[in-house]
Amino acid sequence: MTEVKVAVLGGRGAGKSALAVRFLTRRFIGEYASNAECIYTKHLCLDGRQIHLEIYDPCSQPQRGKLSLTDELHWADGFIIVYDISDRASFAFAKALLYRIRESHIGAYKKMVETSVFLVGNKQDLCHMREVGWDEGQKLAIDNKCQFCELSAAEHYQEVVAMFMKVLRNITSNFKAKEKRRPSGSKSMAKLINNVFGKRRKSV
């Protein structure tokens, strides 16, 4: 059984929680409490490999002020950064998140296994209200060496699944590139971080 940890991050109203729940349950729920946070768990089979997936969905951070991802950078094997294509402020917040993750690759939080990152422009069903162009999202992804797609959590279930599968394949490929996925003692560190987070866990 391979353990994979993914953090889904984005500004308030970007639809990150809806995206995660859409993948996990097929259901679309439009409204979420922005002050709630939890870790969802799911067992699945990917290319013949059994995966124990944990998805961290944090409470929404303010889109202004100091951005801290210290716990997430230690914990996650991959990140899905979500913005709302009809909200330029959420795109700016996604850019700040990507910068923070990229900064960590050369800083104190650099991990033994490279972190997989996927940038997602959500709410494609609101294309008539678009404030962020597809080419802007694509350029931001290229600049930060991550993958990119636009979709609608409300309308595109299969595209949501396809995006998550790409993320999981990238992460497991990174695992295969190393003889050991984590340095010794990292499991106890992960447990410590989980205790610090104090999140509700939900199995689906």
Side-chain angles (χ1 to χ4, degrees):
M1 179 79 69
T2 302
E3 186 179 81
V4 177
K5 300 175 184 291
V6 177
V8 183
L9 308 177
R12 184 168 288 127
K16 62 180 179 59
S17 299
L19 197 71
V21 172
R22 184 71 151 151
F23 167 68
L24 293 165
T25 71
R26 293 177 173 257
R27 294 181 296 125
F28 173 72
I29 302 174
E31 297 294 331
Y32 289 86
S34 60
N35 61 345
E37 57 181 19
C38 62
I39 294 179
Y40 300 99
T41 64
K42 183 180 180 67
H43 288 88
L44 65 151
C45 183
L46 177 68
D47 302 330
R49 173 185 289 194
Q50 293 298 313
I51 302 291
H52 173 75
L53 172 63
E54 295 190 356
I55 298 178
Y56 170 44
D57 179 18
C59 58
S60 297
Q61 296 190 35
Q63 295 190 170
R64 295 182 180 181
K66 185 175 178 59
L67 180 64
S68 175
L69 293 176
T70 302
D71 291 333
E72 291 88 339
L73 289 166
H74 278 297
W75 181 84
D77 301 307
F79 292 89
I80 297 173
I81 308 300
V82 186
Y83 69 91
D84 174 358
I85 68 166
S86 66
D87 180 7
R88 181 158 290 279
S90 77
F91 182 68
F93 188 69
K95 183 182 291 188
L97 288 167
L98 287 171
Y99 176 80
R100 184 71 183 89
I101 293 168
R102 184 177 63 181
E103 183 183 51
S104 76
H105 288 171
I106 56 174
Y109 304 114
K110 186 171 182 180
K111 300 179 69 171
M112 184 177 178
V113 179
E114 182 181 353
T115 302
S116 297
V117 184
F118 210 116
L119 177 65
V120 177
N122 190 27
K123 304 190 181 182
Q124 199 177 47
D125 52 304
L126 300 181
C127 203
H128 57 289
M129 299 170 59
R130 180 188 289 275
E131 293 184 359
V132 183
W134 183 92
D135 55 333
E136 293 179 87
Q138 175 74 351
K139 182 179 185 303
L140 180 61
I142 291 172
D143 290 345
N144 287 275
K145 297 181 173 62
C146 64
Q147 295 192 65
F148 169 70
C149 74
E150 281 191 0
L151 49 74
S152 167
E155 297 183 354
H156 301 155
Y157 169 71
Q158 293 299 333
E159 292 183 18
V160 171
V161 171
M163 181 273 294
F164 269 94
M165 291 298 102
K166 285 182 181 179
V167 172
L168 295 179
R169 285 192 174 95
N170 285 347
I171 292 172
T172 54
S173 292
N174 288 341
F175 289 171
K176 290 176 182 177
K178 301 288 183 178
E179 289 185 5
K180 294 182 179 179
R181 184 167 73 87
R182 298 178 186 273
S184 61
S186 63
K187 288 187 176 180
S188 59
M189 173 62 74
K191 289 181 180 178
L192 174 62
I193 292 169
N194 286 340
N195 290 336
V196 171
F197 281 173
K199 312 225 173 13
R200 294 173 295 149
R201 290 178 176 268
K202 296 183 180 180
S203 296
V204 292

